[in-house]
Amino acid sequence: MSNQSRIRLERVTKRWDATTAVDDISFDVTPGQFVILLGPSGCGKSTTLRMIAGLEEASDGRIHIGERDVTRLPPGDRGLSMVFQSYALFPHLSVADNIVFGLRSRKVPKDEQRQRLAKVAELVDLTDYLDRKPAQLSGGQRQRVALARSIISEHPICLMDEPLSNLDARLRSDMRREIKALQSRLNMTVIYVTHDQVEAMSMGDRVLLMQHGKIVQDGTPDELYNRPASAFAASFIGSPAMNLLPLVAGKDGAVIEGEPSTPVAPLDAAGGHLGIRPEDIELRIAPGSGVPANVLSEEYLGADTIAYVAVGSHTLRVRLSGKQALTGQPCSLYWTSENTHLFDAEGLRRDDLTTFPLPSSSRSVPRPPAVGSFQH
Amino acid sequence: MQLYGALLLLPAAVLLTTFAYLPTVTTVINSLFLPGFRGAPTEFVGLENYQVLFDDPTFWKVARNNLIYAVGTIPTSIALALGMALFVNGKLRGRGFVRMAYFTPTILPMIAAANIWMFFYAPQIGLFNKLLGMLGFSGVNWLGDPNLALSSVIVMSVWKEAGFFMIFYLAALQSMPPELKEAADLEGTSRWSFFWRVTFPLLMPTTLFVLINALINSVRVVDHLFILTKGGPNNATNLLLYYVYENAFSFFDRTTAATITVVILLVLAVVATLKFTILDRRTHYQ
């Protein structure tokens, strides 16, 4: 793949009067990459995407696509397509006319339009629906029309702004796979905005996690899950979210607030947070050398159960496999040091310290397999 | 249960019957009779009144005037309304003020507006002639010249109506999702092309509505003729409804008035039906 679809942002900022939506961000997307802009609402991810598309003008900084500086170029000259959250289909035009809308704008000959339409309709499985109006289609089919419209333009770059958030859960997981498959088949460069961490984890080659207009972590889904750069990243990825426990100074090291009996980390870690994923905690009913706890309640999800466990003055989520009935029982918790994360008082990851291991010899409650456990 | 439904319909039905259906029916009946003079009973004459009306050259002149008036006002005011709506829907400084300015003629009562335009059109002291005088042209008798009077009335009607229709277009434009424009922009669609391929087709329901309204308005003109020209000179600006009014209340010829009214109703009904059936098929409703 040529360098045509390389996207480079240099210190891009977007300000509206007093508010700064995007604050001095820079990143570089290599051709063929599937990049996710992930973050809570209002973090500036959509604004970033719209600046790349040219629908918003950057207040500061440069945007390059390929070798060209496109910062001040109109959207139509940037050589990219976009899928909108609302699909943005033209309600008075048939599916076919919607798909070829851009080709007509670009004065592509009629014959070629027909050929490309037939090919793309086949690709997204819409051949039987070409004469319908958008109102006569289901949500998933409308989504496909929107996809077809961006594919038919044959631009190497496709921007997607929360394209699946109007679909129901089951359809969403189908479309996730479909979009991912299309992307690798057509070798498109995709920048995909979402607030859904499941979409980010399952589709992205690379995830840019944003907060308050800044990129807080830039890495593969694997890195985001296993080595979150901050407490925010840790809590944003994974479902249920990572447990974050405030640490205070104890007798033999840092302890969980309200639970002074078991030191969990070196004294230096006090004042920060200990992070453990619900799936990385082992729960044993018998009292032992682990952190003493009490099961408050549980939530049965089918494949597994989330137990809510009181430790000191905090509540932890623990993922257990299968159906478990443990409410009201005292128990102890165990984990290994490679599965724990330490964050300093500012919420940044610190790798200079390791937690104390809390090993267990035998398992009384089976744990689910660690792989893929964050998927719904 | 059916009784409740009927009761709920009753107030509207009573009002409509008293003020719309009954008068319509009596008008139709009146148009088929000749009034009896000096206490003599009215005489059924069938369609003879229509025969007399169609032989009346004044009626044809008035009808022709009204056609010219409709052709002169409807497309112009709709195009102007759409243009103004597109203009004030865009990013614009002092947008609220411009919108208000465009809408002001609509808020003015017709009589007041006509009086204002009297001063524009007045031969000696009128604004237009003053301006022409400043440029060195001799003045024109805007409302007194039979060749100009109808055009003068048309200009004023367009001024009065365009702002009203603009409101409908503006509402329709604001309900159009902005992503449509963005999606088109990403494909490099020109403004012109976007307007004809997306905006205009999506505004068709509004256009149809405005068109029907404009048509009805064009045969409803009484008040500004009353102020401006009284239908003169020599019936040059006389329009159908004003002619009905003249017949009924100046000449006290109720029969002719009823006959013309029926003709107007029929023509309007036919045109509206045609519009709805032909344009509806080409109109996309959301």
Side-chain angles (χ1 to χ4, degrees):
Chain A
M1 174 135 251
S2 70
N3 230 13
Q4 278 285 305
S5 59
R6 180 169 172 208
I7 305 165
R8 200 149 41 89
L9 273 74
E10 272 169 27
R11 315 204 54 161
V12 173
T13 300
K14 179 71 188 178
R15 277 183 296 267
W16 277 289
D17 301 328
T19 51
T20 305
V22 174
D23 191 3
D24 193 19
I25 66 170
S26 307
F27 62 88
D28 194 333
V29 177
T30 52
Q33 229 176 14
F34 199 119
V35 176
I36 309 271
L37 287 177
L38 177 67
S41 49
C43 73
K45 55 191 191 303
S46 280
T47 309
T48 307
L49 193 79
R50 291 170 61 84
M51 282 193 290
I52 298 171
L55 300 173
E56 303 285 353
E57 202 170 315
S59 312
D60 255 318
R62 316 299 309 166
I63 299 169
H64 296 267
I65 292 176
E67 303 304 316
R68 294 187 304 158
D69 182 341
V70 300
T71 320
R72 299 282 175 263
L73 242 48
D77 294 348
R78 296 189 176 200
L80 41 78
S81 54
M82 183 162 169
V83 178
F84 292 83
Q85 179 177 1
S86 60
Y87 316 139
L89 302 181
F90 303 107
H92 60 295
L93 297 179
S94 68
V95 168
D97 287 339
N98 261 292
I99 297 176
V100 300
F101 187 90
L103 300 187
R104 274 188 63 190
S105 293
R106 298 194 189 280
K107 308 229 164 31
V108 174
K110 277 259 169 3
D111 276 348
E112 194 187 333
Q113 282 186 27
R114 255 194 303 277
Q115 280 168 20
R116 277 159 79 170
L117 172 66
K119 209 171 79 189
V120 170
E122 180 75 43
L123 199 64
V124 296
D125 207 11
L126 276 173
T127 311
D128 296 338
Y129 301 96
L130 289 177
D131 293 331
R132 294 215 193 164
K133 293 278 173 69
Q136 297 164 299
L137 300 178
S138 69
Q141 287 163 340
R142 283 181 216 180
Q143 179 61 68
R144 284 203 181 94
V145 179
L147 274 176
R149 196 168 60 184
S150 65
I151 292 168
I152 202 169
S153 66
E154 293 178 1
H155 292 313
I157 300 170
C158 184
L159 309 177
M160 301 195 186
D161 190 2
E162 311 210 14
L164 302 184
S165 50
N166 286 353
L167 302 179
D168 61 57
R170 177 188 294 229
L171 207 52
R172 213 180 290 179
S173 81
D174 291 347
M175 287 304 290
R176 277 206 308 266
R177 275 194 302 279
E178 229 167 282
I179 290 177
K180 180 71 188 164
L182 274 173
Q183 182 262 339
S184 45
R185 185 163 157 195
L186 303 172
N187 200 16
M188 285 189 292
T189 307
V190 173
I191 301 186
Y192 185 108
V193 162
T194 183
H195 60 260
D196 183 347
Q197 47 108 7
V198 180
E199 282 172 25
M201 298 299 281
S202 58
M203 298 169 84
D205 297 324
R206 175 179 165 200
V207 179
L208 303 178
L209 181 65
M210 292 184 69
Q211 186 190 20
H212 304 317
K214 287 185 178 297
I215 294 173
V216 291
Q217 189 165 6
D218 174 357
T220 62
D222 185 43
E223 280 165 359
L224 254 78
Y225 181 75
N226 290 315
R227 289 182 58 79
S230 68
F232 167 75
S235 63
F236 204 81
I237 305 283
S239 170
M242 183 187 279
N243 296 297
L244 288 171
L245 301 165
L247 295 176
V248 293
K251 210 157 55 172
D252 304 311
V255 298
I256 297 165
E257 201 178 42
E259 176 42 62
S261 66
T262 325
V264 293
L267 201 53
D268 267 3
H273 282 82
L274 168 70
I276 323 161
R277 296 211 176 269
E279 46 271 36
D280 291 332
I281 302 174
E282 193 178 321
L283 186 145
R284 288 171 67 184
I285 295 304
S289 58
V291 179
N294 240 318
V295 181
L296 294 173
S297 63
E298 71 249 332
E299 207 172 59
Y300 174 54
L301 299 176
D304 42 31
T305 302
I306 308 299
Y308 290 83
V309 178
V311 173
S313 40
H314 297 276
T315 307
L316 259 77
R317 291 169 295 269
V318 180
R319 190 192 286 267
L320 308 166
S321 67
K323 187 168 168 62
Q324 310 273 354
L326 306 163
T327 302
Q329 302 213 44
C331 57
S332 40
L333 307 177
Y334 303 87
W335 50 74
T336 57
S337 23
E338 63 263 30
N339 284 331
T340 57
H341 313 266
L342 285 172
F343 302 100
D344 65 16
E346 272 79 54
L348 293 176
R349 180 183 189 85
R350 55 190 303 180
D351 287 320
D352 55 331
L353 301 171
T354 24
T355 55
F356 302 145
L358 289 165
S360 62
S361 40
S362 64
R363 289 173 179 173
S364 58
V365 174
R367 290 172 50 207
V371 180
S373 51
F374 53 83
Q375 283 177 339
H376 296 310
Chain B
M1 272 305 141
Q2 296 232 322
L3 185 68
Y4 287 117
L7 280 175
L8 285 170
L9 279 176
L10 197 62
V14 166
L15 284 174
L16 274 175
T17 312
T18 326
F19 295 108
Y21 302 138
L22 271 182
T24 311
V25 171
T26 41
T27 304
V28 172
I29 292 170
N30 276 344
S31 74
L32 301 175
F33 285 86
L34 267 184
F37 291 103
R38 300 175 185 240
T42 55
E43 185 194 346
F44 180 78
V45 291
L47 295 175
E48 200 184 299
N49 287 329
Y50 293 89
Q51 191 60 51
V52 173
L53 181 70
F54 293 149
D55 289 340
D56 172 14
T58 315
F59 169 75
W60 287 112
K61 175 160 196 187
V62 170
R64 211 181 114 246
N65 281 346
N66 216 143
L67 190 69
I68 294 170
Y69 177 85
V71 170
T73 53
I74 297 174
T76 326
S77 57
I78 289 180
L80 205 58
L82 183 54
M84 293 193 303
L86 288 169
F87 179 59
V88 299
N89 192 42
K91 288 196 181 83
L92 186 71
R93 281 181 65 148
R95 189 166 66 169
F97 180 77
V98 180
R99 283 182 188 174
M100 197 188 71
Y102 283 168
F103 194 59
T104 311
T106 309
I107 311 168
L108 286 179
M110 200 68 199
I111 301 291
N115 272 309
I116 294 173
W117 280 75
M118 275 295 269
F119 285 107
F120 292 170
Y121 284 145
Q124 311 301 327
I125 52 160
L127 178 72
F128 290 158
N129 281 353
K130 277 262 167 67
L131 289 175
L132 281 178
M134 276 185 339
L135 295 171
F137 295 100
S138 60
V140 176
N141 192 351
W142 298 99
L143 296 169
D145 184 339
N147 296 320
L148 265 180
L150 188 58
S151 310
S152 302
V153 173
I154 288 175
V155 168
M156 192 211 127
S157 299
V158 169
W159 172 84
K160 182 94 173 74
E161 297 220 300
F164 181 55
F165 296 151
M166 178 200 74
I167 293 296
F168 295 105
Y169 276 122
L170 191 58
L173 282 174
Q174 292 188 337
S175 70
M176 270 172 57
E179 293 90 48
L180 296 185
K181 177 85 180 102
E182 294 176 350
D185 281 348
L186 280 159
E187 296 298 344
T189 315
S190 68
R191 270 174 174 221
W192 180 254
S193 157
F194 180 75
F195 175 77
W196 287 111
R197 290 168 63 196
V198 180
T199 314
F200 190 70
L202 288 180
L203 288 176
M204 261 324 254
T206 313
T207 305
L208 190 62
F209 172 79
V210 166
L211 207 58
I212 298 287
N213 265 287
L215 180 79
I216 293 169
N217 282 352
S218 72
V219 290
R220 257 187 16 185
V221 186
V222 174
D223 22 17
H224 52 300
L225 294 183
F226 200 85
I227 299 290
L228 289 175
T229 62
K230 299 245 186 328
N234 189 23
N235 285 326
T237 60
N238 205 345
L239 302 180
L240 283 170
L241 197 63
Y242 191 77
Y243 193 49
V244 171
Y245 164 83
E246 271 188 335
N247 271 297
F249 298 106
S250 300
F251 314 149
F252 292 98
D253 184 354
R254 296 277 165 84
T255 310
T256 309
T259 314
I260 306 171
T261 309
V262 173
V263 172
I264 297 175
L265 279 179
L266 284 178
V267 171
L268 273 184
V270 169
V271 175
T273 315
L274 278 179
K275 267 188 188 165
F276 275 118
T277 46
I278 294 171
L279 288 179
D280 244 17
R281 249 179 277 143
R282 310 229 258 123
T283 302
H284 170 82
Y285 290 98
Q286 262 170 321

